[in-house]
Amino acid sequence: MSHLLICAMDAEAEGFRSMLADRTDEMISGLTFSSGTLCGHPVTVVKCGVGKVNAALCTQTALLRYSPQAVINVGVAGGVGEGIVTGHVVVGEDTVQYDFDLTDLGEADGLVSPCDSALSEDLLAAARSILPQPRVSFG
């Protein structure tokens, strides 16, 4: 099973594309999907463009075409916090849909969805194995 790496910008996607072994490219709906192996694992990398609408359209296209085991959003991806700067890796514990308000319907403000804990732990261990500790966070 493969993993899908969705990047908003060229600078993010090209770093991964350059490391793909046995790379093949496929154009679908104006998006270039680059597939190959990364550290021995099958991976597809795509640049979706900035914004959640672009990310959603790109993700749906990829799900239909590639059926990835996991979707990983790479890049800024909402990693904010004290001391977090460009070059840091923040592995997500949860995702938050923050830009709508359902409190009038009795729902909490923002929709929080947990990330796959086993995948998050694997990503955290991988990041910590190659980067200095202060640059890797979980949250």
Side-chain angles (χ1 to χ4, degrees), residues 92-114:
E93 180 178 9
D94 300 304
T95 60
V96 179
Q97 179 78 326
Y98 62 87
D99 61 346
F100 63 89
D101 183 357
L102 298 177
T103 54
D104 287 345
L105 301 174
E107 298 291 332
D109 190 18
L111 175 64
V112 178
S113 301

Side-chain angles (χ1 to χ4, degrees), residues 24-138:
T24 60
D25 292 333
E26 181 177 22
M27 180 78 74
I28 306 171
S29 299
L31 300 169
T32 301
F33 292 84
S34 301
S35 298
T37 57
L38 181 63
C39 301
H41 299 280
V43 172
T44 298
V45 178
V46 62
K47 177 200 126 185
C48 66
V50 175
K52 69 181 189 174
V53 172
N54 286 333
L57 291 169
C58 177
T59 302
Q60 184 62 49
T61 300
L63 290 173
L64 291 170
R65 173 66 178 96
Y66 299 100
S67 301
Q69 178 183 0
V71 176
I72 302 169
N73 191 335
V74 178
V76 174
V80 297
E82 189 174 324
I84 303 297
V85 298
T86 300
H88 283 208
V89 172
V90 178
V91 176
E93 180 178 9
D94 300 304
T95 60
V96 179
Q97 179 78 326
Y98 62 87
D99 61 346
F100 63 89
D101 183 357
L102 298 177
T103 54
D104 287 345
L105 301 174
E107 298 291 332
D109 190 18
L111 175 64
V112 178
S113 301
C115 294
D116 180 294
S117 60
L119 179 58
S120 290
E121 288 173 21
D122 288 348
L123 292 170
L124 188 62
R128 286 182 172 156
S129 74
I130 58 173
L131 293 171
Q133 291 305 309
R135 291 183 50 196
V136 180
S137 314
F138 182 67

